[in-house]
Amino acid sequence: MFPKVRMAILGWIACLLVTLSSNVHAANLAGVVVDDEDNAPLAFCVVAITSTDTGNVDQSVLTRTDGGFTVTDLPPGRYELKFSYIGYDSLTLPIALTGQDEPLVVRMVVKAIEMEEQVVFGDRDQVEEEVQAGFVKLTSDDLASIPAIGEADPIRALQLLPGVQAASDISSGLYVRGGGPDQNLVLLDQVPIYNPTHAFGLFSTFNPAMVDQVTLFKGAYPAEYGGRLGSVLDVRSRGNTANEVSGRVGISTIAARAQVEGPLAGGTWSLGGRRTYLDPILNALRRNNSEIPSYYFYDGNAKYTLPRGNNKFEFWLYRSNDVLRVEPDPDTFLNLTWGNTIASSAWTRVIGERVVANVVGSWSRYRSDSDFQVLTTPISIENELNDVSGQASLSVALPPHHRLKLGVAASTYRFEFLQSFNRDVDVDFDRRPKEYSVYAEDLWRPRPETTLRLGARARFLDDGNRRLVEPRLSLRQKINDQWQVKAAGGLYYQYLQLVSTEGFAAADFYLPIDDTTDPSRSVQSVLGLEWDAGGTWSAAVEGYYTDLQSLVLFDTEAPVDESQVDATTIFLTGGTGYATGAEVFIQKKKGRVTGWLGYTLGWTRRTFAEVNEGNEFAPKYDRRHDFKAVMSVSRGAWDFGFNFVYGTGQAFTPASAIFGLRDPATGLVPEFGEYLPAARNSARLLPYHRLDFSARREFSLFGLPARWQFQLFNAYSNRNDWFVQYNINDPGQLPDVVKQLPLIPSLGVEFEF
Amino acid sequence: MNSRTRILGFLIGISSLVPSTGCERDLFNANEVGVVVVDAVLRVDARFPAIRVGRTLDPTQPFDPVAAVEENADVRITGDGMELFYVRSPDQRGVYVPGDPAALVMPDTMYELRVLTADDELITARTRTPPRVGAIDWLVLNDDGTEVVGEFTHFEDVGDQVYEDNQVVYSDGLLEARFARDLSDPRQIAYEVGLFSLDLDSDFVIDPEFFDEEDFDDLDRIISSPMFVAEEGEIRLPWLAIYFAGRYKFYVYSVDRNWFDLVRSLPEAEAGFTVGGNTGDGFDRPLFHVEGGIGLFGSASVDSIGLTVLPRDP
């Protein structure tokens, strides 16, 4: 064993021994935390005890489900208790422990919703407690204040942050720090959701009325998560804190949505739903033109939470579906449906004062069915992924400096892909791999200004008998009250591969990497410097570098009837690449004018032996400069929102020459020749820029609080370049530059009851 | 600074960025003009074909087949212990014909094409010809594809009588070619089908309501399929490739690696939306397997069938 490693372990053990040996002449502290308004106990509230004599954080405990907490074995002295709870103002109480102390009753006040306050990262306490570099949190209020197309949308809001991009105006894919949507883990209430899009990618599947908060790990995410090379998007649905039935209803030009919540049998429930109502209009139009499609989507959420003593039980149901039908002719039609179904439950138990256990069982299904007929020839593609998973975790506070988190997870997948052409089954893929994971991480605060999180995740994939170990590290070092440095890094493997199609998300499907090729691997490193001047202004600079190995790329040139499906026939394998860059983020978090400025300087490259003649190339979403400005202004009952996005034009492949070559099967010479593509993505489209605007006003509707919102997406209607289409059947014509969305106005009304 | 001033400042700030975006994109990067293009396809058991040699042209200008030809090149094919010299075609510019017109292409043989231009540019390419495709059973299946309801006669047996014998009603049943396929044989790579409508004035068998007049004008009588690997030795021929009534001749090619790679990697007709990628990714450089230039030096063994397509009852 290396001396340094041995010393570190000895030091670790010494810390634990010191902790144990310090439990002499101890005082106990007990209390209960309640809502100031209705005296409801607040479960899982964070109570941090800091010795004002030493300045050290001595302990951190969570309240039980009855709101109570107990801290034992504290040396008598002066302390500061800090209470933190989501949705409430943090509270700090100075106390002096004598050993004869009475129980405390701590009353917390619901955080005032300040309409002029646009909080992006949550409050300052949460930021300080968060050690993770590249971590972003958006609340439901943040989402509501950001201009969008018709509906507030979590994914589109995230696309306005530095380091996060959209491939196009109609894409809900997240391109985070040079990674594609296939490299993002998307979770809804801790459960993977495999196609988070509606309307071919124009919207995400998350009903804004049901979203409580959205967190994004841009990179170097902790050991608690796994399975993707790049980032983690964690969406949490709305919980219920009210003691009576309440809800909200919203109508926009796209869809109607509702959310209702209330108490039931000692617990709380919440229901939400959303549906488009374009189909009656389309149906009316179709009477005169059979080429008009029939289309709608819907999604629904249900959640029930039942606290019982030190236990909390939660149940979720979620379903989304998109349905498209086009029948221009009896011999030619298209039926397309796709959607997700999730059922999950969780049990959380507080054990003593220092341990929280959590067990989650879930089933997540994504299915898409494409049923075509083209001039009497039937074509069918059925794609289904079932993921049945169980996971358990244990959070253990080890005073004074450590908090351990241990977890296990097991997933069994079933991938089914059936493709038939002309009633001939071309591909019949049915694979049922299993994956097992364990992880451990230690949040260590050796000094008040230093926080270190060390973790590792080990995975076993039965497909290929692969054993993968992924170390993770996060570090925060405060320089002074205003400045801090963050660093993070880790090793990540990706086994499930998403084949995603920009602009046609209905065709998304997942496939596992099998024993014919290695799982993709990334090594991420992030270094950042943050500044926060007392909670109003903050700024951050982060640099990142991600090394990518064993990448795969869907082989679009494989023969159409390739049925012996394994990873090497589906994908081009053995790719490498990197993504690097720096982000600047300046934010004003309080006041009547809030918002942020974000800038990213980035490079992304890929290399595949079979692409671009083996030479390195930039993927389409490589963007050298990316600037975003988001501003929210509050004036009385009015709120105004502005977004501005500017970015380097996307990469595309230009034509380098024109040539004539006979079709070898027919001997025909193309009359107009054919374009010769140049090096892949060796040119750039015009820079992208767009301004969005929203105006929102509060009013009273039959005595109920209500608001209406007017939005302009792409306010000056700049038709940004989307892609270039070289008409190879007629190269005499100039190529078409296909444009993105023009100005799209929308109007919506929402009221609460 | 009040809110109004800040909004104004925000808008002025971002509007100052917009003029700097007004540059032009370069849709063409004409740095491969003048590259030599070879075009040669060998068919097993057939005579050596004419070979076209040309050059790439400026992509910003309409394609001019005359300007694209390469004359005065030295063209030869070696293989199977022989060297076949080509001469300029007396009839077509840029076309070279074999000096020995009787020479036949052999199966399972490596051939090398060597082209030396007048400017001393050397272009080479190699192909291994596939083995003979063997006997193909041409079948008619029921609509579910579960039962054989008819079998076509062959040119070898009845000659042009096949067009009388093999009559099918458009979209009535399924057409399928079956042949011996050995997946372990690396010489059997993939298959392509060529369809030739022989009656050039025959009527349409399709009449989709959503077609406009000009849509019918765009329909071709000669069509090639995508690539098939036909792992089970079956290729089902879709009715969607047939627009016209009358006689057809179908060719099934068992192709070599060069042919396979080129056809599967040619930019898609609609190089915009690509399954499993970003928009525009379909416009990607084909796989040529030609040293010193671009083009195709490929080979195939071939079998064919003749049939007559009858229109559906109105």
Side-chain angles (χ1 to χ4, degrees):
Chain A
M1 189 180 290
F2 295 104
K4 284 185 180 176
V5 176
R6 189 186 303 160
M7 289 300 292
I9 292 173
L10 287 173
W12 204 315
I13 294 170
C15 284
L16 293 172
L17 290 175
V18 167
T19 303
L20 294 172
S21 65
S22 65
N23 294 337
V24 291
H25 306 298
N28 294 334
L29 172 65
V32 62
V33 182
V34 298
D35 184 298
D36 182 58
E37 194 166 305
D38 58 11
N39 291 322
L42 299 180
F44 310 114
C45 171
V46 178
V47 186
I49 302 101
T50 305
S51 168
T52 48
D53 297 330
T54 65
N56 290 335
V57 176
D58 287 324
Q59 288 199 35
S60 180
V61 299
L62 295 175
T63 56
R64 299 182 294 272
T65 51
D66 61 0
F69 67 94
T70 308
V71 186
T72 57
D73 302 330
L74 286 171
R78 290 179 301 152
Y79 290 87
E80 191 176 79
L81 300 182
K82 183 179 288 184
F83 299 85
S84 304
Y85 196 69
I86 292 173
Y88 288 77
D89 285 331
S90 295
L91 182 65
T92 303
L93 293 178
I95 62 167
L97 288 181
T98 62
Q100 304 294 323
D101 305 285
E102 294 293 319
L104 296 173
V105 176
V106 181
R107 312 184 72 83
M108 296 190 70
V109 177
V110 174
K111 184 181 290 181
I113 300 175
E114 299 171 335
M115 298 310 294
E116 72 274 18
E117 176 180 333
Q118 184 162 306
V119 183
V120 172
F121 284 137
D123 63 33
R124 187 169 181 273
D125 289 342
Q126 288 167 319
V127 172
E128 286 187 344
E129 287 174 6
E130 182 56 61
V131 64
Q132 184 66 40
F135 174 82
V136 183
K137 183 167 85 175
L138 293 178
T139 65
S140 54
D141 289 338
D142 302 328
L143 299 175
S145 68
I146 295 174
I149 304 176
E151 300 272 303
D153 193 299
I155 288 184
R156 291 198 168 268
L158 290 169
Q159 290 170 347
L160 294 167
L161 292 162
V164 186
Q165 300 172 31
S168 67
D169 289 345
I170 70 159
S171 168
S172 285
L174 288 177
Y175 294 78
V176 184
R177 290 183 171 172
D182 54 322
Q183 297 178 6
N184 304 329
L185 175 63
V186 182
L187 300 170
L188 176 60
D189 292 321
Q190 305 182 68
V191 181
I193 184 166
Y194 287 97
N195 186 341
T197 63
H198 279 309
F200 305 96
L202 191 58
F203 307 103
S204 77
T205 53
F206 304 116
N207 178 356
M210 283 299 294
V211 173
D212 180 48
Q213 68 171 41
V214 178
T215 55
L216 174 68
F217 294 85
K218 291 187 195 173
Y221 58 80
E224 181 182 351
Y225 303 100
R228 298 296 186 277
L229 294 182
S231 60
V232 176
L233 172 63
D234 192 351
V235 179
R236 298 294 172 116
S237 62
R238 187 182 177 86
N240 177 21
T241 55
N243 285 328
E244 57 187 19
V245 174
S246 62
R248 59 182 68 183
V249 175
I251 299 170
S252 74
T253 45
I254 306 291
R257 62 182 183 277
Q259 186 265 335
V260 189
E261 59 192 19
L264 177 69
T268 57
W269 57 270
S270 179
L271 292 173
R274 177 171 58 157
R275 193 189 189 283
T276 56
Y277 37 62
L278 289 172
D279 32 330
I281 302 169
L282 296 173
N283 290 341
L285 293 172
R286 196 165 50 253
R287 291 193 191 113
N288 298 322
N289 184 347
S290 62
E291 294 176 49
I292 300 292
S294 162
Y295 173 74
Y296 65 90
F297 72 72
Y298 67 84
D299 51 52
N301 305 56
K303 180 178 181 179
Y304 181 67
T305 305
L306 179 67
R308 279 285 183 272
N310 288 343
N311 302 291
K312 183 172 73 168
F313 302 93
E314 293 170 286
F315 305 90
W316 294 272
L317 290 172
Y318 171 80
R319 180 165 171 78
S320 68
N321 217 20
D322 285 59
V323 178
L324 172 72
R325 180 173 175 83
V326 191
E327 187 176 2
D329 181 85
D331 286 339
T332 301
F333 60 81
L334 161 64
N335 291 325
L336 190 59
T337 63
W338 75 99
N340 302 275
T341 306
I342 294 176
S344 65
S345 59
W347 170 37
T348 306
R349 178 177 175 80
V350 179
I351 305 168
E353 285 80 37
R354 296 173 184 166
V355 179
V356 177
N358 178 251
V359 179
V360 179
S362 64
W363 167 59
S364 179
R365 185 185 78 164
Y366 163 60
R367 179 177 178 85
S368 68
D369 289 326
S370 308
D371 196 11
F372 307 79
Q373 183 164 294
V374 182
L375 297 176
T376 75
T377 299
I379 303 164
S380 172
I381 302 173
E382 297 172 18
N383 164 37
E384 182 168 324
L385 163 58
N386 279 278
D387 169 359
V388 178
S389 294
Q391 52 184 303
S393 66
L394 208 57
S395 293
V396 183
L398 294 175
H401 301 304
H402 291 273
R403 192 180 71 198
L404 286 176
K405 187 158 191 180
L406 310 168
V408 297
S411 298
T412 177
Y413 304 102
R414 182 171 185 186
F415 299 88
E416 294 171 277
F417 190 94
L418 182 69
Q419 175 179 301
S420 67
F421 179 80
N422 204 17
R423 296 195 174 87
D424 188 17
V425 175
D426 291 330
V427 182
D428 187 0
F429 180 83
D430 188 345
R431 192 179 289 272
R432 305 178 190 197
K434 295 179 176 60
E435 178 177 355
Y436 306 94
S437 307
V438 296
Y439 66 86
E441 63 183 32
D442 178 29
L443 188 70
W444 182 25
R445 292 193 181 96
R447 294 177 300 175
E449 64 273 16
T450 305
T451 309
L452 178 65
R453 179 165 56 195
L454 285 168
R457 189 178 185 92
R459 301 164 63 195
F460 173 74
L461 312 173
D462 77 335
D463 209 351
N465 284 327
R466 298 182 189 280
R467 293 169 176 80
L468 310 170
V469 178
E470 305 172 355
R472 314 282 170 82
L473 166 72
S474 302
L475 170 69
R476 182 192 62 174
Q477 177 65 47
K478 287 189 71 169
I479 299 170
N480 54 38
D481 285 345
Q482 294 190 341
W483 293 87
Q484 62 181 2
V485 175
K486 281 184 178 175
L491 173 64
Y492 304 83
Y493 289 98
Q494 183 159 338
Y495 165 69
L496 302 184
Q497 296 293 334
L498 166 65
V499 179
S500 182
T501 302
E502 181 197 340
F504 194 69
D508 284 6
F509 59 94
Y510 278 84
L511 291 168
I513 289 294
D514 54 27
D515 56 1
T516 61
T517 191
D518 291 332
S520 303
R521 192 204 76 184
S522 71
V523 178
Q524 298 193 40
S525 52
V526 183
L527 179 64
L529 177 65
E530 296 179 2
W531 169 78
D532 193 325
T536 300
W537 285 91
S538 68
V541 179
E542 275 192 11
Y544 61 90
Y545 184 87
T546 302
D547 177 70
L548 298 155
Q549 300 290 329
S550 302
L551 295 175
V552 300
L553 189 65
F554 183 66
D555 185 358
T556 58
E557 296 168 358
V560 292
D561 63 337
E562 182 83 72
S563 63
Q564 292 206 335
V565 181
D566 62 36
T568 57
T569 56
I570 301 167
F571 299 108
L572 305 176
T573 60
T576 60
Y578 66 88
T580 187
E583 298 168 10
V584 179
F585 186 60
I586 301 169
Q587 185 185 16
K588 183 171 184 290
K589 296 183 281 190
K590 291 181 180 174
R592 291 202 307 174
V593 178
T594 57
W596 68 81
L597 299 174
Y599 170 74
T600 307
L601 175 68
W603 290 263
T604 304
R605 294 292 183 272
R606 299 281 187 272
T607 305
F608 284 83
E610 297 171 69
V611 178
N612 200 33
E613 300 180 328
N615 297 314
E616 182 180 274
F617 65 93
K620 176 184 175 181
Y621 48 86
D622 170 60
R623 190 173 286 187
R624 185 76 59 255
H625 305 285
D626 186 49
F627 173 78
K628 279 131 181 182
V630 174
M631 187 168 75
S632 180
V633 180
S634 179
R635 286 182 66 86
W638 288 87
D639 291 299
F640 301 98
F642 302 88
N643 305 332
F644 177 73
V645 180
Y646 172 88
T648 304
Q650 293 184 326
F652 78 102
T653 305
S656 63
I658 197 168
F659 67 103
L661 191 65
R662 290 175 296 178
D663 179 338
T666 63
L668 294 177
V669 181
E671 182 181 356
F672 303 106
E674 294 189 58
Y675 283 122
L676 178 63
R680 185 173 175 123
N681 290 342
S682 54
R684 294 279 168 174
L685 298 172
L686 292 182
Y688 179 99
H689 53 94
R690 188 189 86 224
L691 175 70
D692 307 328
F693 166 76
S694 71
R696 194 166 54 150
R697 192 179 195 285
E698 308 280 343
F699 69 102
S700 177
L701 183 68
F702 306 116
L704 299 172
R707 67 187 67 85
W708 63 260
Q709 186 163 5
F710 172 69
Q711 305 190 87
L712 292 174
F713 175 86
N714 198 358
Y716 56 88
S717 201
N718 178 47
R719 301 301 303 276
N720 289 292
D721 290 354
W722 186 5
F723 62 93
V724 181
Q725 187 160 7
Y726 289 89
N727 188 345
I728 63 168
N729 295 321
D730 188 4
Q733 301 295 318
L734 276 177
D736 295 327
V737 180
V738 181
K739 298 293 186 178
Q740 301 198 48
L741 295 178
L743 164 71
I744 297 181
S746 59
L747 190 64
V749 179
E750 183 180 89
F751 68 91
E752 298 175 8
F753 58 89
Chain B
M1 192 184 294
N2 62 28
S3 300
R4 192 175 301 165
T5 309
R6 287 179 178 170
I7 294 171
L8 199 59
F10 179 85
L11 294 175
I12 291 172
I14 61 168
S15 63
S16 67
L17 290 168
V18 174
S20 66
T21 66
C23 54
E24 288 295 317
R25 68 185 89 67
D26 293 322
L27 298 177
F28 301 103
N29 180 13
N31 60 356
E32 291 189 275
V33 176
V35 174
V36 175
V37 183
V38 295
D39 183 350
V41 174
L42 310 184
R43 294 188 183 188
V44 169
D45 295 330
R47 292 178 174 148
F48 278 85
I51 293 174
R52 293 166 182 264
V53 181
R55 287 189 183 270
T56 59
L57 299 176
D58 185 343
T60 64
Q61 303 299 318
F63 182 66
D64 180 357
V66 176
V69 301
E70 173 65 13
E71 297 182 293
N72 302 319
D74 177 71
V75 179
R76 66 187 68 180
I77 288 178
T78 57
D80 193 28
M82 63 98 194
E83 185 165 26
L84 182 63
F85 293 91
Y86 273 69
V87 297
R88 290 172 58 182
S89 165
D91 305 321
Q92 291 179 280
R93 295 176 60 196
V95 175
Y96 299 80
V97 294
D100 176 7
L104 294 178
V105 176
M106 303 304 293
D108 194 19
T109 303
M110 180 67 78
Y111 291 101
E112 181 177 82
L113 171 69
R114 185 176 182 277
V115 176
L116 185 65
T117 68
D119 297 332
D120 281 341
E121 298 159 286
L122 178 63
I123 298 92
T124 59
R126 288 153 62 94
T127 178
R128 174 173 288 282
T129 54
R132 292 185 177 91
V133 72
I136 295 182
D137 294 328
W138 295 85
L139 308 172
V140 181
L141 310 181
N142 63 359
D143 285 340
D144 295 331
T146 55
E147 190 180 336
V148 177
V149 296
E151 187 167 353
F152 291 153
T153 57
H154 295 237
F155 282 112
E156 302 82 56
D157 301 327
V158 297
D160 283 351
Q161 178 66 28
V162 294
Y163 297 110
E164 300 295 324
D165 295 347
N166 304 330
Q167 296 200 351
V168 290
V169 176
Y170 174 72
S171 80
D172 191 0
L174 304 169
L175 309 181
E176 186 168 285
R178 291 183 184 173
F179 46 91
R181 173 78 161 104
D182 181 0
L183 282 175
S184 65
D185 184 349
R187 302 168 305 167
Q188 297 182 22
I189 293 171
Y191 300 85
E192 188 177 14
V193 179
L195 279 69
F196 294 77
S197 169
L198 303 180
D199 298 324
L200 300 183
D201 56 353
S202 62
D203 293 332
F204 289 102
V205 288
I206 60 169
D207 187 21
E209 295 169 6
F210 59 94
F211 263 35
D212 296 326
E213 194 66 32
E214 56 268 29
D215 293 328
F216 285 100
D217 295 339
D218 290 340
L219 297 176
D220 295 322
R221 288 183 179 271
I222 300 176
I223 294 173
S224 56
S225 75
M227 278 293 160
F228 300 102
V229 288
E231 288 161 344
E232 296 175 359
E234 298 171 357
I235 297 174
R236 192 164 290 176
L237 304 166
W239 288 110
L240 63 82
I242 293 175
Y243 314 126
F244 302 94
R247 293 176 303 140
Y248 276 85
K249 192 167 187 180
F250 290 8
Y251 291 91
V252 171
Y253 301 96
S254 171
V255 306
D256 77 325
R257 171 64 59 184
N258 296 353
W259 182 329
F260 173 63
D261 281 346
L262 178 75
V263 171
R264 72 187 176 95
S265 65
L266 281 170
E268 297 174 17
E270 298 293 335
F273 288 99
T274 305
V275 172
N278 290 109
T279 51
D281 281 356
F283 189 67
D284 210 4
R285 197 173 181 85
L287 299 166
F288 290 117
H289 298 302
V290 174
E291 295 290 327
I294 64 169
L296 173 64
F297 179 50
S299 59
S301 57
V302 61
D303 189 29
S304 61
I305 189 70
L307 58 87
T308 301
V309 175
L310 306 174
R312 283 188 290 194
D313 289 336

